[in-house]
Structure formats: structure tokens, C-alpha cells
Amino acid sequence: MAIEKKKRSFIDIFDEYFDDMERELDRWRESFVEGPSWNLKASTMEPLKNMRVLPTEVVVTVDLPLTKESSLKVKALDQRTLEISAEMRRKMSFKELGVTHHKGEFQRFHAHMQVPVAVQMKKMKTKFKKGMLEIHLPRKQKR
Amino acid sequence: MTEEAKIIEKRKIPSGTIMMFGFPDVGLVGVIAASHLIEELDLDEVAYLDSTLLPPIIVLHEGLPHSPIRVFGNDSVLLVVSETPLSADIIYPIMYALIDWGKSKNVKMMVSLSGIPLEERQDAKELKVFAAGSSAEMLKTIKDGGVEILSEGYMVGPQAIMLQRCSQLGVPAVTLLAQCFYNYPDPEAAAEVLKGLAGITGVKVDIAKLLEKGEEIRVKARDVMKRTQQEMSNMKKGQEYDIPMYVS
């Protein structure tokens, strides 16, 4: 059985190494640093999200209530990173959220997430129903 | 009631009420339903839990400190609501203190409002409500109220302890569970659990406003849901998905 080895340049290996390191750092930051679920500077809120790794696909769900469906964007930043953004139908102020010691308002959801296994980003399918986004990413099958 | 967890009454508590519980859990069903009950029935804070077991949290309302676990009520109902998820290690003493207090007030029945996760929730056309009872008589009450019995399975969290403790003490109790999202706030499921509550206890509220404000509630409840997810994972809440293996 012949095993084909694809030749990779030193730069490719170097890039992959730093990508891996960045992903690990992201995971580390997510698990240890507690921050707010909003960003006042960008007027964004972080939505609740979940990911399930199934044998043939990865299914991501994101709760995006009050979202304008036409504004919804799901981007693959690289082979493992998804960025999700959406505009809300109306602004929500801190006051409405029951917070009086901050001033400001939000009109967008923004999130990014790392997929833990290799997927085919180009074959991504999305579904949006009742403010719930569902993303299906077929997994890359090992040969 | 122990020194570690006691209930402080702010006014005279009537006896013979229906005592309900709404704690952060799957889909935040109990908390959302409880908030709606407080608004619709215009309930006042009548007591609160004072406990050194709770994390060092107070809830500020109009500049004044409040316990994260409070009891609201009127002449016919008491409603215990927690604004913070309970960690697994304090559920027993906290629930025992609340139930023992409720028993001392001769409550007619205790009802936990909660959810049961549904795997394909986003595709569900209708959400079922199930219930478990503390005794054979309560199972009959559940059936008469038009709610399906959850006959087999696991229950994890405050509602499980409530049912077990009430069963031991002979206090009539029901845990109502509406099918819901596991980790997203689910106002539709909260509306369904309130329908089940009306069937079993006769405590009826209009759910139209709850459904109307559903998306807004989902935005507001994100942070509580996130904290609740962490506690649910610590208390092995996922076991509710498990296929039970009974040893007869």
C-alpha cells in the first residue's frame, strides 16, 4: 500500500504551528478568563452557542433572538474558525437589560468559534428558524 | 431548617397555599415561568432564604440588597425563585430547608416548574409537558389535570430533590417538565409548563404576553443561561438524556 506524502514547505509548517498555537490560546482564554458577554465599543452582544461533533458532521447552533435574517453573516475565517454576526431588529440598552450602572446600547450579535475537528467549510449549510441559527459542516473523512 | 439555611419571613405567611419552585435549569423554563407568574399574579416578596451555603452574591433591586433566593406570594400561592443557579453541593440543604419551611406552613401541594431537554427542539412542532408525582394520589391528580406522566427516566437537580423529599415527608408534590432546549432560554417551553400548572392546580395566567416577549426574554436571559450551563454540567445534568437501566 503506497502512502502518498504531500511535501510541505518550511513556511507552511511554521504557519500551521502558529495557527495551532493561536487556537490553543483561544481555548485557554475561553476557559480561564471571564469577561462580559458584550462589547460596548463595538455595540455587540455575544450570543449563546453550542457545537456537537457527530460522526459525519459538526452541527453548530447559535441563539440569535430579535435578529434580522437578511443581516445574518456566517464566515469561515480559516479551515477551523467560524465568525457569526447579525443585526438586531431593534437596539437594546443596558437599562432595558436591567443594568443601570453602565450606559450604552447594542444592535448586533457577534461570535466566533473554533471547530475542533477537520471540516469542509466550503460545504457549509445554514438554516435559520425562529431566531435560531443552525450550521452544518460535513467532516473531512480520513483516507 | 438548619442554621446554615433558614427562611426569613417578611410578612405573615398564610397556610394552605400551593407552593411553587422556579430554579435555573434546562431552558431556564422554571425561572421564566416564575417571572411571568410574579408579573401576572402581582406577587410580592414575602420571605427569603438566608444561607451561608450560597456563594457571596446579593441581588440589588432599586439599590437595596436581596437574597438571590426569594419567596413571592399572595393569599393562595407561594413561589420560590432563584436568580442564581444552585451548585450540586448545596442543592440538598437548600431544598430541604425550603421544603421543611413549606411543610411548616401546611402547604396544600408543592410544584416544581422545570424543563426536560429535547434533542431536536428547534424542529419540534409542539412541546409536550410531562409530570412526576410524589405519591400514587398525585399521579392521579396529574392524569386528571391532563398531563402525561413521566414514568421512567432520570431527573437531576432541585426539582428531583423536591420530589424525593416531599415523597418522604408525605407532602403532595408534582414536578412539571416541559420539553425544551437544553442550553438556550426557552420561553415557549415556559408557556407550556404554565398550561400544565393550570391543569393540575388551577393556578391560571394569561401566557400571550410571555410568548409575545419571548425573543426579548431570550436576549436578557443569556448570562443566567450561561452560568446555569456550567452548574448543569457540574451536576451531570446530561444524565437526563440517558437510557435508564433499572435493577428490579
Side-chain angles (χ1 to χ4, degrees):
Chain A
M1 187 172 67
I3 298 169
E4 273 187 25
K5 271 192 183 172
K6 212 177 165 185
K7 278 188 181 171
R8 292 183 302 162
S9 71
F10 175 73
I11 292 170
D12 285 343
I13 295 167
F14 206 68
D15 279 347
E16 271 180 36
Y17 173 75
F18 275 101
D19 280 350
D20 282 350
M21 217 163 86
E22 206 170 317
R23 266 196 287 278
E24 279 310 309
L25 265 172
D26 276 348
R27 268 184 218 133
W28 183 83
R29 279 189 213 111
E30 276 174 18
S31 53
F32 290 101
V33 182
E34 266 203 299
S37 64
W38 40 266
N39 182 323
L40 198 51
K41 218 172 168 184
S43 300
T44 57
M45 285 196 276
E46 196 187 333
L48 290 169
K49 51 196 188 296
N50 189 42
M51 187 186 303
R52 286 167 65 212
V53 179
L54 302 174
T56 57
E57 63 171 351
V58 172
V59 183
V60 176
T61 53
V62 188
D63 194 23
L64 297 166
L66 292 177
T67 286
K68 271 188 210 167
E69 191 175 351
S70 58
S71 71
L72 185 60
K73 283 182 192 145
V74 183
K75 262 200 288 188
L77 296 184
D78 58 39
Q79 286 309 302
R80 290 268 176 107
T81 315
L82 281 177
E83 185 178 56
I84 297 132
S85 67
E87 209 173 300
M88 292 164 72
R89 291 199 297 273
R90 65 175 186 84
K91 287 179 184 170
M92 268 200 128
S93 64
F94 269 121
K95 203 177 166 191
E96 267 182 282
L97 294 168
V99 178
T100 50
H101 58 287
H102 286 300
K103 294 248 181 297
E105 50 191 19
F106 306 96
Q107 200 171 9
R108 291 189 75 79
F109 279 113
H110 178 262
H112 77 275
M113 57 204 303
Q114 301 282 335
V115 184
V117 293
V119 290
Q120 303 175 65
M121 284 291 188
K122 283 185 180 162
K123 291 192 178 170
M124 171 168 46
K125 280 188 181 152
T126 62
K127 191 167 97 179
F128 187 74
K129 193 177 154 191
K130 288 184 175 177
M132 184 65 67
L133 171 67
E134 201 176 286
I135 305 167
H136 292 261
L137 297 160
R139 286 180 67 173
K140 272 186 188 165
Q141 299 302 323
K142 277 185 188 166
R143 286 177 195 169
Chain B
M1 218 186 309
T2 64
E3 273 310 298
E4 284 180 318
K6 54 188 177 199
I7 286 83
I8 311 290
E9 294 168 19
K10 292 177 79 173
R11 62 175 71 168
K12 194 175 180 310
I13 307 294
S15 62
T17 59
I18 289 171
M19 184 174 176
M20 299 170 285
F21 296 83
F23 283 82
D25 192 41
V26 285
L28 295 181
V29 174
V31 178
I32 297 171
S35 300
H36 190 65
L37 282 169
I38 293 170
E39 207 177 306
E40 288 291 307
L41 299 175
D42 199 19
L43 303 179
D44 292 321
E45 186 182 331
V46 295
Y48 63 89
L49 181 97
D50 180 28
S51 175
T52 52
L53 299 169
L54 289 172
I57 300 172
I58 56 154
V59 182
L60 289 167
H61 289 297
E62 293 170 352
L64 297 171
H66 293 267
S67 164
I69 300 180
R70 296 188 282 163
V71 186
F72 292 81
N74 60 18
D75 288 342
S76 53
V77 300
L78 292 171
L79 172 60
V80 186
V81 190
S82 176
E83 296 186 56
T84 189
L86 301 187
S87 60
D89 56 327
I90 63 167
I91 287 181
Y92 275 99
I94 299 283
M95 290 311 290
Y96 279 19
L98 288 164
I99 290 158
D100 292 354
W101 176 78
K103 189 172 188 280
S104 76
K105 301 295 160 196
N106 297 312
V107 298
K108 220 165 25 185
M109 189 195 295
M110 295 201 189
V111 185
S112 253
L113 307 170
S114 192
I116 185 165
L118 180 63
E119 188 72 2
E120 302 299 332
R121 163 67 181 94
Q122 55 267 47
D123 299 321
K125 291 208 170 76
E126 60 179 72
L127 302 174
K128 280 188 181 174
V129 179
F130 296 94
S134 59
S135 63
E137 291 79 37
M138 287 318 293
L139 292 182
K140 190 181 176 302
T141 306
I142 292 167
K143 276 188 202 159
D144 292 347
V147 177
E148 203 172 317
I149 307 277
L150 181 78
S151 48
E152 315 287 339
Y154 295 108
M155 201 187 283
V156 180
Q159 66 277 23
I161 304 311
M162 190 234 32
L163 204 59
Q164 188 195 33
R165 181 70 167 168
C166 286
S167 181
Q168 287 165 349
L169 297 175
V171 177
V174 173
T175 288
L176 273 167
L177 306 155
Q179 289 181 323
C180 64
F181 283 114
Y182 181 85
N183 48 5
Y184 298 126
D186 201 333
E188 284 180 15
E192 291 303 317
V193 95
L194 289 174
K195 284 188 205 167
L197 176 74
I200 291 173
T201 64
V203 176
K204 275 185 198 158
V205 287
D206 183 7
I207 54 165
K209 258 194 241 166
L210 173 60
L211 294 170
E212 211 174 278
K213 288 195 297 183
E215 288 194 82
E216 206 171 288
I217 293 168
R218 279 159 60 191
V219 176
K220 291 179 178 171
R222 287 171 313 122
D223 286 346
V224 179
M225 187 76 250
K226 213 170 164 183
R227 297 255 169 232
T228 306
Q229 282 172 16
Q230 289 161 5
E231 294 302 345
M232 289 195 303
S233 151
N234 292 341
M235 73 171 79
K236 313 274 181 237
K237 184 75 188 173
Q239 192 168 347
E240 287 185 354
Y241 281 127
D242 289 4
I243 296 159
M245 191 199 79
Y246 290 106
V247 181
S248 53

